[in-house]
Amino acid sequence: MRHLMNPLDFTTDELEKLFDLAQDISENPAKYAHVCDGRILATCFYEPSTRTRLSFESAMTRLGGRVLGFSEASSSSAAKGESVSDTIRVISSYADICAMRHPKEGAPMVAATRSLIPVINAGDGGHQHPTQTLTDLMTIRTLNGSLGNFTIGLCGDLKFGRTVHSLIEALLRYDNIKFIFISPPELRIPDYITDQLNAKGAEYEEVIRLEDSIGDLDILYMTRVQRERFFNEEDYVRLKDFYILTNEKLQLAKEKMLILHPLPRVNEISVEVDDDPRAVYFKQAKYGVYVRMALIMTLLEL
Ligand code: NCD
């Protein structure tokens, strides 16, 4: 039995197969409408989410399966003090596969060690968010044409943003990618990530101003400042509007640059940008459903 805790749990060849499957699903949805008939997905979300949870629910429903679960810790037995290990043992009898989000780093991993069904990490604290990374890779592969040979700028909260950490680790396995980290000094990329970049000899730069590097980018990955992981509100308020991507700043960018964002957006991308053909974040959310459909099929060995 296989779980997904980290994007690196799949080899790059396995990811290629997964993305091929996701693409086929997107082109021939009717072919897959019943592959999960009779199967159940449990969504155990100890932390709020709209996109990820509904994306999983949509994925399972589109495969013909059913969904049960909870969307906040307060409406589960966690409120009574139950451990994730006990919860997953019980859920193993109720469902065939589980997607778990948890504010504590490593909680889905603990669950996986006790689970009798495949567990998917749907985001653990500031650590990892593998299915968002699969979504991001699928978006880049489809719209950029390949997973290599580009310059990517990651902008915003690089300290607490788990989607950023997962994506960088995953991209380090592909060739000829240059990283530009754009953040205020307080929200710079953690050392454990730059250590990995150094170990792999990856090319990267850290800058503060978006305007200074936007012209070099093939992909711009914008992120929101992660309010819920701040220790005090004052710092959040000071940093929350540090970056706002506007049509004016976009004039400095390449004509074909792709703008990705894991969503939810707060203020970091002005809504006027949504109409620019370079803005692909809503398409990205759509790819997220196909990728999760492919992932559910793969982990259930269908
Ligand atoms: C991301 C997350 O949960 O980390 N959102 C998501 O999964 N769509 C990004 C975020 O919350 O900023």
Side-chain angles (χ1 to χ4, degrees):
M1 186 178 58
R2 253 184 123 164
H3 307 286
L4 177 71
M5 292 297 122
N6 182 307
L8 307 186
D9 293 348
F10 283 105
T11 65
T12 49
D13 283 347
E14 286 173 328
L15 285 185
E16 279 307 301
K17 282 206 192 102
L18 188 94
F19 298 142
D20 286 343
L21 176 59
Q23 192 178 331
D24 195 51
I25 293 171
S26 74
E27 288 162 8
N28 307 288
K31 197 166 121 190
Y32 298 91
H34 294 288
V35 294
C36 279
D37 278 358
R39 310 277 180 147
I40 298 175
L41 164 77
T43 53
C44 300
F45 276 60
Y46 295 82
E47 199 185 63
S49 159
T50 324
R51 215 141 347 261
T52 306
R53 187 169 54 83
L54 296 188
S55 176
F56 269 113
E57 297 192 1
S58 172
M60 191 50 154
T61 309
R62 286 171 192 267
L63 291 170
R66 289 172 177 252
V67 181
L68 49 81
F70 54 87
S71 57
E72 50 187 329
S74 60
S75 61
S76 79
S77 287
K80 299 181 188 165
E82 188 177 54
S83 67
V84 285
S85 309
D86 281 5
T87 304
I88 195 70
R89 272 312 272 266
V90 173
I91 295 214
S92 295
S93 312
Y94 300 165
D96 302 290
I97 184 165
C98 171
M100 180 180 285
R101 167 167 293 193
H102 204 287
K104 282 213 185 97
E105 282 85 357
M109 175 79 99
V110 172
T113 60
R114 295 297 307 275
S115 179
L116 306 176
I117 57 173
V119 178
I120 301 167
N121 176 4
D124 60 329
H127 185 219
Q128 290 279 338
H129 193 346
T131 61
Q132 182 62 49
T133 298
L134 301 185
T135 303
D136 301 340
L137 295 178
M138 169 92 187
T139 307
I140 295 172
R141 186 182 102 135
T142 310
L143 301 178
N144 182 64
S146 80
L147 279 167
N149 306 312
F150 55 75
T151 298
I152 181 168
L154 297 111
C155 177
D157 188 346
L158 308 187
K159 179 178 180 185
F160 296 115
R162 56 189 168 200
T163 63
V164 168
H165 306 156
S166 274
L167 179 59
I168 296 168
E169 287 185 357
L171 287 177
L172 273 175
R173 297 194 295 185
Y174 298 94
D175 293 330
N176 199 19
I177 297 181
K178 179 174 176 189
F179 297 87
I180 302 190
F181 301 126
I182 308 154
S183 76
E186 296 92 330
L187 298 179
R188 62 177 286 273
I189 196 89
D191 290 341
Y192 84 89
I193 302 276
T194 46
D195 288 349
Q196 293 179 46
L197 289 149
N198 291 330
K200 292 245 162 110
E203 201 183 336
Y204 72 93
E205 240 178 82
E206 292 187 75
V207 302
I208 295 175
R209 276 166 47 89
L210 175 60
E211 296 84 329
D212 293 343
S213 52
I214 194 168
D216 299 328
L217 307 178
D218 301 301
I219 298 165
L220 171 59
Y221 193 89
M222 291 296 292
T223 63
R224 101 189 139 88
V225 176
Q226 307 277 301
R227 177 181 208 161
E228 65 277 35
R229 305 202 201 288
F230 271 67
F231 295 111
N232 69 68
E233 183 72 7
E234 229 172 84
D235 285 346
Y236 170 72
V237 169
R238 187 166 49 82
L239 294 168
K240 72 182 173 61
D241 294 328
F242 204 93
Y243 299 106
I244 301 180
L245 183 64
T246 56
N247 280 342
E248 196 188 328
K249 283 181 203 156
L250 265 182
Q251 287 179 4
L252 305 169
K254 290 185 189 172
E255 211 178 304
K256 291 263 160 77
M257 183 187 76
L258 299 174
I259 309 164
L260 277 71
H261 191 308
L263 304 178
R265 154 183 53 193
V266 187
N267 280 333
E268 58 283 350
I269 302 180
S270 166
V271 288
E272 66 185 17
V273 172
D274 297 358
D275 296 328
D276 190 296
R278 290 170 284 192
V280 298
Y281 29 89
F282 293 118
K283 266 191 199 157
Q284 187 184 352
K286 195 163 179 190
Y287 290 129
V289 178
Y290 300 129
V291 153
R292 290 182 175 98
M293 290 169 82
L295 178 66
I296 291 170
M297 285 181 61
T298 305
L299 294 180
L300 289 177
E301 297 174 12
L302 297 172

